Amino acid sequence: MSNKPKTTMYKEEVEKKQQKSKDVQINIYPEVTFHKVSRYIYSQFAEHLGRCIYGGIWVGEGSKIKNEQGIRCDTIEALKKLSLPALRWPGGCFADNYHWIDGIGPRKKRPRRYNLWWNQPETNQFGTDEFMLLCRLIETEPYICLNVGSGTVEEARSWVEYCNSTQSTAVVQMRKNNGHPKPYNVKFWGIGNENWWCGGNMRPEYYANLYRLFATYVRQTAGESVKLIACGSHQDIPHWDERFLEAMKGAYNLVDYISLHIYSRVDGSDINFSEEEYYSLIASIDVMDKHISRTIELTKAFSSYGHPIGVVMDEWGSWYKEAVIENGLYQQNTMRDAMFAAATFHCFHKHANGLFMTNMAQTANVLQALILTKGQHLIVTPTYHVYEMFRPHQDGKLVACNITNNPVLTLPNGKEQEAISVSVTSSEAENELFLSILNLDLHEDFTVTFRLYIESQWEIIQVRRLTTKDIREHNTFDEPRKVWPEEISIEDIKREHRMNLPPHSITTVRLRIL
Ligand code: AHR
C-alpha cells in the first residue's frame, strides 16, 4: 500500500485516464431548438436562519449600516444585479413553525418567539410587509412557504387573504392599516416544507390529506392564478412522491408543482479540500440529474392535458462540515462552488421541459450563499458571479449542440464525465446565442473551436471568464475581488473562432447571427 496522500494518487489516476487530445470542437445547430429554459431556475431561497435574514438582509431602520426602510442597501444593490426571478421565504424548517400574524404591524409590538430549528430567538422584525419590500427593491417575485406542521388551515388561508385579497375584510384592513392598500398578488405558495422530516415527520398519505385540506382553502381564497407547490422528496426517499401523488387521486388540480430538495454534501471542508473532493462535488450532480428525470417522468404520469404537474427544486446547493447550527450554517464559498453551480445549471437547462423553478440555499451567509456580510461589510461569492454571468440564459431557448473530441475525466464515483460542458440558449428578440462553457478539469487547458451549422454570417460579440489559479480561491473581507469575472479581448477569437479554456474555468460567449 502506497503512503502517498490520497489526492496525489487520485490526480495520477485521473491523468492516466484522460484522453490527452487538446483540440475540442463545439458544434452548434441554431436552427434546432428545444424547450425554454424557465428563468425561475435562477431563483433563490432565504430563511430565518443564522444571519441570512437578520444581518445579511435586514438591519433595521435605526442601523448605522446604510439601509432602505431597514433593508441593507449593499444587499439590495448586489441582488438587484442578478435579476433573480423569485425568492422563497420564510423557510425551510422555519416555515412550519412560523406564524405570520407575529410579523405584521408596528415592529416594536411584535413578539419574540422560539425559533424551533435554528437555536436563535425570532424577533419578528422582518415579516410579510418587509419581505414584500425586499422583493420590490430587488425586483423579484415572492414565493411564500406556508406553515402546515404547526399552523392551522385558517392561519394559512388568512395569510393568503392578507397578501392577495381586495375584499373589504378585517384581514385586508390590517394590510391597509400597515400601509399597503394594494394587494401583493403573491403567485407562488408552498404547502409546507420537508414534511417528511422537520415539517412533521409525516407519512406521504397523511401529508396528502393535509395538503388536500390546505390547498382547497388557499386555492379558494386566491383563485386559479396562484401556483401551489407540494413538498416532494429527496434522493433517498423517492417513494414519497409516488405515494403522495397516488393519495392525491381526484384532486390533482390542486397540485401545480412538486418540490425536491437535494443538497450536495461531500467530505472535507469549505476551503481546505482535496482534488478528489472537488471531483466528488461535480459527481454529485448526477444524483440530481437522475432524481429530476425520475420525478419529471412520474409527474407526467399524474398530469392531464388540462392540468400538467411540474417539478421544482426549491432547495439545493453545497453543504460542508463547517456549516453547523452553532454558526447558523455559515460556510465559505470558493471557485469550486462556482464550478458546481455552473455545471448544475447546465443539468437544470437539460431538464427545463419539466423543471420549472430552482432555489439555491441560501441568499446570504447560509450554505452556498450569494453574499457574505460582516457588520457593515459585504462581499459577493464566486457562486454570485455564476448567477450574474448566466443571466442571459433566463428564458432562452435551448439550442442543439455537441462537442467533438471532448476529453473524458473519471470521477470518484467511477462515472465518466466529459471535461468540457456547454449549454447554448438563443434569444429570438436579440438574434443572439448565449454560450456557457465549463472546463471542469483541474489541470488541463483546452483549445475550443466554434462551428455553427447555419448559412447566415455570425460573429462573437463578447467573451467573459471566471477562473482562478487555485480552485480553492475565494473572496474575503480583506480581498473582496480575488475571484472576479473578466472581460476577454475578442480580437483573435473573432478572427479564428477559437479560444483557449484554462483549467477550472467558466466562460460565457455572446454570438450574434447577422
Ligand atoms: O437550508 C437549510 C435547511 O435545510 C432548511 O431549513 C431545510 O428545509 C433543509 O433541511
Side-chain angles (χ1 to χ4, degrees):
M1 174 109 165
S2 156
N3 56 5
K4 277 189 203 170
K6 209 174 171 190
T7 320
T8 322
M9 275 172 57
Y10 184 70
K11 190 177 152 219
E12 283 167 3
E13 224 171 90
V14 168
E15 279 175 356
K16 240 191 293 151
K17 289 185 176 164
Q18 254 173 7
Q19 293 170 9
K20 284 286 183 182
S21 173
K22 292 211 148 199
D23 284 319
V24 178
Q25 184 168 300
I26 299 181
N27 307 305
I28 304 168
Y29 306 86
E31 281 160 1
V32 185
T33 56
F34 306 106
H35 51 263
K36 189 168 94 172
V37 172
S38 160
R39 66 179 182 282
Y40 291 101
I41 279 178
Y42 289 89
S43 299
Q44 271 283 318
F45 165 45
E47 180 170 12
H48 290 235
L49 192 182
R51 294 185 301 112
C52 182
I53 297 292
Y54 297 111
I57 292 171
W58 178 260
V59 285
E61 283 172 312
S63 171
K64 283 194 189 120
I65 299 170
K66 207 170 155 220
N67 65 83
E68 169 78 41
Q69 295 170 66
I71 297 176
R72 44 189 308 163
C73 291
D74 48 5
T75 296
I76 297 169
E77 197 194 332
L79 296 181
K80 204 172 160 183
K81 285 189 187 140
L82 301 185
S83 316
L84 298 171
L87 182 60
R88 178 175 183 251
W89 172 85
C93 295
F94 178 79
D96 283 275
N97 188 44
Y98 180 62
H99 302 282
W100 69 272
I101 204 86
D102 292 342
I104 59 159
R107 279 193 283 274
K108 278 193 183 134
K109 291 193 177 157
R110 296 188 194 172
R112 287 172 80 87
R113 299 285 188 207
Y114 191 76
N115 183 332
L116 187 60
W117 296 99
W118 306 121
N119 197 25
Q120 57 191 93
E122 172 54 46
T123 62
N124 279 304
Q125 297 303 286
F126 188 91
T128 306
D129 297 315
E130 289 77 16
F131 174 60
M132 296 301 168
L133 171 68
L134 170 69
C135 290
R136 181 165 64 73
L137 293 172
I138 64 170
E139 294 170 10
T140 193
E141 284 181 58
Y143 164 13
I144 293 183
C145 184
L146 295 166
N147 177 351
V148 171
S150 69
T152 64
V153 184
E154 177 51 19
E155 186 184 355
R157 195 211 60 72
S158 59
W159 198 1
V160 178
E161 181 187 346
Y162 183 86
C163 291
N164 286 12
S165 181
T166 51
Q167 278 187 26
S168 169
T169 66
V171 171
V172 172
Q173 193 54 46
M174 279 200 291
R175 187 188 71 223
K176 291 184 179 169
N177 294 347
N178 291 335
H180 309 284
K182 290 202 180 127
Y184 293 119
N185 293 326
V186 178
K187 184 170 171 191
F188 300 111
W189 294 93
I191 312 283
N193 171 78
E194 297 193 354
N195 301 89
W196 32 259
W197 176 59
C198 62
N201 274 305
M202 299 174 192
R203 295 201 174 92
E205 292 76 15
Y206 180 73
Y207 172 69
N209 282 343
L210 288 182
Y211 186 94
R212 297 169 89 105
L213 186 63
F214 276 67
T216 302
Y217 284 80
V218 167
R219 173 65 42 86
Q220 193 59 26
T221 305
E224 289 300 318
S225 60
V226 298
K227 298 292 175 196
L228 305 185
I229 302 169
C231 160
S233 63
H234 65 79
Q235 67 277 24
D236 299 330
I237 52 162
H239 60 274
W240 170 280
D241 299 322
E242 249 153 287
R243 285 173 54 186
F244 166 72
L245 286 166
E246 284 289 353
M248 286 302 298
K249 201 170 178 180
Y252 292 123
N253 61 321
L254 294 176
V255 188
D256 294 305
Y257 299 101
I258 186 157
S259 173
L260 308 175
H261 285 187
I262 301 186
Y263 284 99
S264 295
R265 293 172 185 244
V266 290
D267 291 340
S269 105
D270 52 359
I271 52 175
N272 295 312
F273 53 89
S274 67
E275 294 188 355
E276 183 170 357
E277 284 157 0
Y278 159 77
Y279 286 114
S280 293
L281 188 66
I282 299 300
S284 74
I285 298 170
D286 190 50
V287 174
M288 284 194 258
D289 187 33
K290 293 213 166 67
H291 202 65
I292 295 167
S293 291
R294 182 196 166 279
T295 317
I296 289 177
E297 284 314 307
L298 184 74
T299 49
K300 272 190 198 152
F302 288 89
S303 295
S304 62
Y305 182 69
H307 188 80
I309 300 175
V311 177
V312 311
M313 187 183 283
D314 58 26
E315 288 188 31
W316 68 278
S318 58
W319 192 325
Y320 306 118
K321 69 170 191 218
E322 282 76 9
V324 289
I325 293 179
E326 290 68 29
N327 72 355
L329 304 192
Y330 182 87
Q331 64 187 29
Q332 247 297 0
N333 192 298
T334 66
M335 185 65 203
R336 167 173 68 161
D337 295 281
M339 296 301 299
F340 168 67
T344 304
F345 281 129
H346 283 191
C347 165
F348 290 163
H349 290 182
K350 202 175 71 181
H351 289 297
N353 56 342
L355 182 68
F356 173 72
M357 185 193 291
T358 86
N359 311 66
M360 185 189 262
Q362 298 193 5
T363 309
N365 297 324
V366 170
L367 298 173
Q368 193 171 350
L370 297 177
I371 57 174
L372 302 176
T373 62
K374 188 160 103 183
Q376 60 180 9
H377 305 289
L378 175 147
I379 56 174
V380 303
T381 64
T383 299
Y384 173 95
H385 293 307
V386 177
Y387 274 78
E388 189 275 316
M389 291 171 77
F390 279 29
R391 275 175 317 160
H393 275 315
Q394 292 189 17
D395 276 348
K397 266 207 154 183
L398 201 65
V399 174
C401 73
N402 58 43
I403 300 175
T404 311
N405 222 7
N406 201 342
V408 175
L409 296 164
T410 303
L411 299 176
N413 63 356
K415 290 257 155 53
E416 296 205 320
Q417 160 83 48
E418 293 181 331
I420 311 293
S421 170
V422 183
S423 191
V424 185
T425 53
S426 68
S427 107
E428 265 169 45
E430 315 275 348
N431 220 17
E432 275 188 26
L433 295 184
F434 183 71
L435 282 68
S436 44
I437 311 169
L438 321 178
N439 177 3
L440 296 164
D441 195 304
L442 283 178
H443 298 285
E444 296 289 322
D445 64 324
F446 301 104
T447 302
V448 291
T449 307
F450 301 102
R451 181 136 188 233
L452 257 72
Y453 292 80
I454 190 169
E455 282 183 9
S456 324
Q457 297 291 304
W458 55 274
E459 62 174 3
I460 289 171
I461 53 174
Q462 191 188 36
V463 178
R464 296 177 74 205
R465 178 164 297 143
L466 186 71
T467 191
T468 48
K469 275 211 183 84
D470 189 293
I471 188 72
R472 298 165 193 85
E473 280 176 42
H474 52 277
N475 294 330
T476 63
F477 293 94
D478 293 331
E479 274 189 289
R481 289 177 75 96
K482 186 139 198 215
V483 187
W484 209 264
E486 56 168 347
E487 185 101 16
I488 306 284
S489 155
I490 57 171
E491 288 312 301
D492 295 346
I493 305 174
K494 234 175 146 169
R495 208 178 36 251
E496 297 168 9
H497 291 165
R498 263 158 91 80
M499 68 178 183
N500 185 261
L501 294 182
H504 54 83
S505 60
I506 300 169
T507 307
T508 59
V509 178
R510 275 174 62 206
L511 273 172
R512 183 172 299 143
I513 297 174
L514 303 168

